[in-house]
Amino acid sequence: MDEQRYQNLKLGERGAIISIVAYICLSVLKLVISYFSHSEALRADGLNNVTDIMASLAVLVGLKLSRKPPDKDHPYGHWKSETIASLTASLIMAAVGLQVLFEAVSSMFSGVKESPDLIAGWTGLFCAAVMYFVYRYNQALAKKINSSAVNAAAKDNLSDAWVSIGSAVGIFGSQLNLPWLDSLTALIVGLLICKTAWDIFKDASHQLSDGFDENLITSYRETIQNVEGVKGVKEIKARNYGNNAVVDIVIFVKSTLDIKAAHDISTIVENTLVKKHDVYDVHVHVEPNS
């Protein structure tokens, strides 16, 4: 089981590497074209991809660290390294997003003399198409290895494709004697960067503070109650180690059961949760039903 999870993390690194390569190429292209075409929107989009490079690098490092086996300092393993990396990436993204917002607002108030060259718009559409194909690849990979980190990266790829489309729309629209529309689009891109950073920060901090999906808790409880021999669930708690769920349960069984029978029921509960819900580890405490 552990070996398969470690192999999945290794496969997940492939998706992070592909994202990094794509972001490096596209960010360079956007920043160069934006410089010569005088497009604030395309420049903001390019800076967005720079944050994506750092975010993808953080995910890659996190995936590599998560594959380290347990040691004296980390008896439960290094699974949370991936979550810590995501938290760090969100802070980097927020800093760049605020910078983009500041420059966009400054540009709007200082006045824009001319509309950007159309090549900036076509560049945005081209980059959107590239990011869509990267999204499809990472989405398929995430489903194959059941990785929330790669799935999050795929969603980020898709949002980047939409940002590039938005930039292109703003650039083309600015040709209609509305040059300020380019700066307005840059402002929207900055807001999208900040929103993405906040969403990643919120999810990562929720996991690191041992927050857990209440709907999954309910689903676990229903599964446990259907196990033969379980008379009730007194308590159930869960937490995440990276993408791995660890569940602690207190169940009621008949008070007349001997130790072996009660232990067998707890084992069935453990195996059922692992098999049905892909839970990483389960701890079951048995109490007599009065």
Side-chain angles (χ1 to χ4, degrees):
M1 178 67 73
D2 279 359
E3 183 61 31
Q4 182 60 48
R5 292 179 185 273
Y6 287 130
Q7 287 300 319
N8 286 345
L9 287 173
K10 189 172 183 179
L11 282 174
E13 293 175 13
R14 185 187 304 169
I17 291 172
I18 289 176
S19 292
I20 290 169
V21 172
Y23 285 137
I24 289 175
C25 295
L26 296 185
S27 63
V28 171
L29 176 63
K30 290 174 183 177
L31 292 174
V32 170
I33 296 296
S34 68
Y35 176 79
F36 290 105
S37 64
H38 308 291
S39 172
E40 288 292 330
L42 190 64
R43 181 175 182 275
D45 194 3
L47 289 175
N48 177 39
N49 286 157
V50 171
T51 68
D52 292 321
I53 294 171
M54 293 182 282
S56 296
L57 281 171
V59 170
L60 179 61
V61 171
L63 288 169
K64 286 184 176 295
L65 290 176
S66 294
R67 287 200 291 120
K68 292 178 62 178
D71 53 33
K72 290 182 179 180
D73 292 335
H74 301 83
Y76 293 101
H78 297 75
W79 302 106
K80 287 192 175 183
S81 298
E82 180 182 343
T83 312
I84 295 172
S86 297
L87 186 69
T88 303
S90 71
L91 298 176
I92 297 172
M93 293 179 70
V96 175
L98 291 173
Q99 179 187 352
V100 170
L101 286 175
F102 176 78
E103 292 182 357
V105 172
S106 299
S107 176
M108 292 178 71
F109 282 100
S110 63
V112 182
K113 295 182 179 180
E114 58 181 16
S115 298
D117 194 284
L118 278 177
I119 190 174
W122 293 116
T123 300
L125 290 179
F126 169 75
C127 293
V130 172
M131 287 315 306
Y132 178 74
F133 284 110
V134 175
Y135 153 72
R136 291 296 300 269
Y137 176 85
N138 278 336
Q139 184 189 45
L141 180 61
K143 289 182 178 179
K144 179 180 178 180
I145 66 177
N146 190 30
S147 170
S148 62
V150 179
N151 186 52
K155 289 180 179 179
D156 189 36
N157 298 149
L158 182 60
S159 69
D160 290 325
W162 281 114
V163 167
S164 293
I165 290 175
S167 298
V169 170
I171 293 166
F172 288 130
S174 68
Q175 302 298 314
L176 305 174
N177 294 323
L178 299 171
W180 52 265
L181 193 58
D182 182 62
S183 297
L184 178 61
T185 304
L187 181 69
I188 295 173
V189 170
L191 291 173
L192 288 174
I193 296 173
C194 290
K195 183 185 182 302
T196 301
W198 169 251
D199 290 340
I200 295 174
F201 176 84
K202 183 173 64 174
D203 290 341
S205 60
H206 184 252
Q207 283 199 24
L208 289 173
S209 60
D210 284 342
F212 201 82
D213 188 342
E214 293 181 359
N215 293 326
L216 282 178
I217 291 287
T218 301
S219 181
Y220 295 163
R221 183 184 293 273
E222 291 174 353
T223 297
I224 297 165
Q225 289 173 335
N226 289 327
V227 173
E228 186 177 355
V230 175
K231 297 304 178 183
V233 178
K234 180 181 179 181
E235 187 179 57
I236 177 170
K237 296 184 291 185
R239 58 195 183 280
N240 284 304
Y241 284 111
N243 293 324
N244 307 304
V246 177
V247 184
D248 299 301
I249 311 161
V250 179
I251 61 173
F252 290 120
V253 298
K254 284 184 178 180
S255 58
T256 56
L257 291 179
D258 57 28
I259 294 176
K260 183 180 183 306
H263 178 268
D264 289 343
I265 292 173
S266 69
T267 300
I268 293 173
V269 169
E270 293 173 6
N271 293 336
T272 300
L273 285 177
V274 170
K275 184 177 180 180
K276 186 173 181 179
H277 297 282
D278 196 29
V279 173
Y280 175 66
D281 198 12
V282 184
H283 304 283
V284 182
H285 177 73
V286 176
E287 290 191 4
N289 185 30
S290 55

